[in-house]
Amino acid sequence: MNATSLKLERPPIVVVMGHVDHGKSTLLDYIRKTNVVAGEAGGITQHVAAYEVTHEYEGQEKRITFIDTPGHAAFQAIRARGANVADIAILVVAADDGVKAQTLEALAAIRESNIPFVVAINKIDKPNADLVRTQGSLLEQHVFLEKMGGDVPWAAISAKTGQGVPELLNLVLIVSEFLELRADATPPAQGFVIEAHRDPKRGIAATLIITSGTLKSGMAVQAGCALAPVRIMEDHLGKTLREATFSTPVSLVGFDSLPDVGLTFHTYKTKKLAEEACHLEILKQQAARDAQTPEGFGERFVMPIIVRADASGSLEAITHEVAKLGDEFTAIRIIQAGIGNISENDTKTALAATPIPATIIGFHVGTDATAREAARQHDLTIEHFDIIYKLTERLEELLATSAPKRKIEEMKGRAKVLKMFSSRRLEQTLGGKVTEGRMEKGSLVRITRRKEEIGVGTIESLQAHKSHVERVENGGEFGTVISADFDILEGDMLECFTIKTV
Ligand code: GDP
């Protein structure tokens, strides 16, 4: 298995962190103004919360992506989901102020996320700047700077005048080279949602940072349960894009709901595939919730109805029959019943019912004109019957169509992880052996360690005997790439399953 053959060098994604007023925004502004690709008119669009710059390093033009303010917030939101969007952090510390409370917070977040960082000692143009004291305050926090006995790269800069900023960018590129960031441009894009907002004129837009693959016009993006066609896509300069790849930030317009910041996004060739992925996402969330609630899968769907009949005898018979309808997942509840015509009062009650407006049933009775008008206005269903079994038949039909579709898991097989080849965000490459049933490409996979569930991922690709396959049967050894935002380890068990709608 040669998992790295298609991979190209990927520009680093950088987050700028530090104490308030230490110059994060000034630094981001300076880099943006001086390094954004020359000749691009029109300035930066307001709502793309990241930008890409070029910087010459050792005679080569290199790209760097910066997460713009509120970079810190986005970084933390993504961290909270157990993933990293940034490859490198710049920790800004003002030379006239030294290490402060939020410097420590930033440092803790950087250390926790295990990403390398570069220190920018800022404001060295100020008369009261004290480089030595600032270095000392960093040392106290165990930040051991290069040339001072440590290995943390640092630069003394002025975000205001630009002094030292090119050196800072050199350091970022040196660290990046060391990280050997690579990604594959061929598959549909994956990455993170950095920001999302509702634009009064254009609808819901989000800034996405692509970490692998390519995003092309005509595809569809899914982030959690938010979907968007790749139609209106722009770069950070507001220029229309038909295609984008890593580590480019793009603004994508046309989401059907607001995606959460920090979510990973996936891309699909068609809208239908994206919708299916969204259903799976709901299921994963439901599975995660169910794992927390011992009661297990969801509640019963109860369809509300209102019954009006000509006599108490028939009302009683209807009540009796209705109680028999439904199953362990569905039921019908009579929320109001009475003798006489269907009235406006019934339509009011029907409208207020949950989880859906009640269906109004008349048995040998008529409907008042006001009720008929209210039903028409509010799209309520009123149905009349004069035979009980026809009434129950119809209710069964209505129950089947209004009950939410249930999704159940169908187990395909189990396998053991024999060897981990690489463990990257959203891309766990490993070898394993099927111990029961089969593994299927495209299926969901539940990962367990010592019988404890670690999480759910997707089997992105499957290989056996050095070629791509759709499935591997019991006893077979295989290589696979699993999309999961947590680390899989040797010895973990994989349980392959799909979801059926019933
Ligand atoms: P942030 O809160 O970290 O984003 O800080 P800002 O970028 O908003 O900067 C806070 C203040 O410090 C602003 O008034 C900036 O003009 C000023 N500032 C930032 N960098 C420098 C610098 O290198 N030199 C000087 N003299 N002032 C700076």
Side-chain angles (χ1 to χ4, degrees), residues 1-5 7 417-432 458 460-463 468 478-484 486-490 494:
M1 204 168 42
N2 189 355
T4 55
S5 58
K7 297 198 165 175
V417 179
L418 300 179
K419 188 160 176 54
M420 287 307 300
F421 294 108
S422 74
S423 198
R424 286 184 182 248
R425 59 161 91 108
L426 302 179
E427 209 186 83
Q428 309 281 324
T429 310
L430 56 94
T458 315
E460 299 289 346
S461 73
L462 207 53
Q463 286 190 22
H468 285 279
F478 60 87
T480 181
V481 177
I482 293 178
S483 157
F486 48 87
D487 284 348
I488 300 177
L489 302 180
E490 270 171 37
L494 307 176

Side-chain angles (χ1 to χ4, degrees), residues 241-273:
L241 297 175
R242 294 193 54 78
E243 200 173 303
T245 184
F246 50 80
S247 306
T248 305
V250 297
S251 171
L252 187 65
V253 182
F255 278 89
D256 59 356
S257 63
L258 206 63
D260 287 342
V261 168
L263 278 180
T264 51
F265 77 84
H266 296 260
T267 312
Y268 298 88
K269 293 224 165 72
T270 63
K271 186 168 167 248
K272 191 161 173 288
L273 287 171

Side-chain angles (χ1 to χ4, degrees), residues 19-26 122-123 125-126 158-160:
H19 194 67
V20 64
D21 279 347
H22 278 197
K24 297 181 294 295
S25 315
T26 311
N122 190 30
K123 306 199 187 183
D125 61 295
K126 287 185 87 167
S158 166
K160 204 167 185 176

Side-chain angles (χ1 to χ4, degrees), residues 266-444:
H266 296 260
T267 312
Y268 298 88
K269 293 224 165 72
T270 63
K271 186 168 167 248
K272 191 161 173 288
L273 287 171
E275 277 167 358
E276 279 171 15
C278 171
H279 283 143
L280 289 183
E281 188 61 32
I282 295 175
L283 209 97
K284 280 189 198 174
Q285 286 170 10
Q286 200 178 50
R289 265 200 310 274
D290 288 343
Q292 287 164 357
T293 48
E295 292 79 36
F297 263 70
E299 292 159 11
R300 223 171 176 199
F301 170 74
V302 181
M303 183 177 97
I305 63 167
I306 293 171
V307 183
R308 287 266 159 199
D310 56 340
S312 59
S314 40
L315 201 55
E316 205 175 302
I318 293 166
T319 310
H320 188 72
E321 288 307 310
V322 165
K324 292 190 209 156
L325 300 176
D327 56 20
E328 56 178 315
F329 300 108
T330 57
I332 295 177
R333 179 180 300 145
I334 300 175
I335 58 165
Q336 183 162 289
I339 312 297
N341 276 358
I342 294 167
S343 69
E344 202 183 357
N345 176 37
D346 294 322
T347 56
K348 279 190 186 145
T349 310
L351 272 180
T354 55
I356 53 171
T359 298
I360 306 172
I361 304 293
F363 190 74
H364 284 295
V365 292
T367 304
D368 289 353
T370 47
R372 201 176 305 127
E373 180 51 24
R376 197 187 55 77
Q377 264 181 29
H378 300 288
D379 215 16
L380 288 170
T381 308
I382 298 181
E383 300 211 13
H384 293 274
F385 300 91
D386 43 22
I387 302 171
I388 289 191
Y389 82 81
K390 289 238 155 115
L391 186 159
T392 54
E393 258 178 29
R394 177 67 184 142
L395 284 180
E396 262 183 325
E397 229 176 83
L398 285 172
L399 184 60
T401 49
S402 29
K405 293 275 169 274
R406 271 184 312 112
K407 296 188 188 317
I408 56 164
E409 283 185 18
E410 193 176 30
M411 238 283 280
K412 297 279 174 186
R414 289 199 173 82
K416 187 169 182 173
V417 179
L418 300 179
K419 188 160 176 54
M420 287 307 300
F421 294 108
S422 74
S423 198
R424 286 184 182 248
R425 59 161 91 108
L426 302 179
E427 209 186 83
Q428 309 281 324
T429 310
L430 56 94
K433 183 173 179 173
V434 185
T435 56
E436 187 187 332
R438 68 182 97 94
M439 292 288 116
E440 276 183 11
K441 187 180 153 190
S443 292
L444 289 171

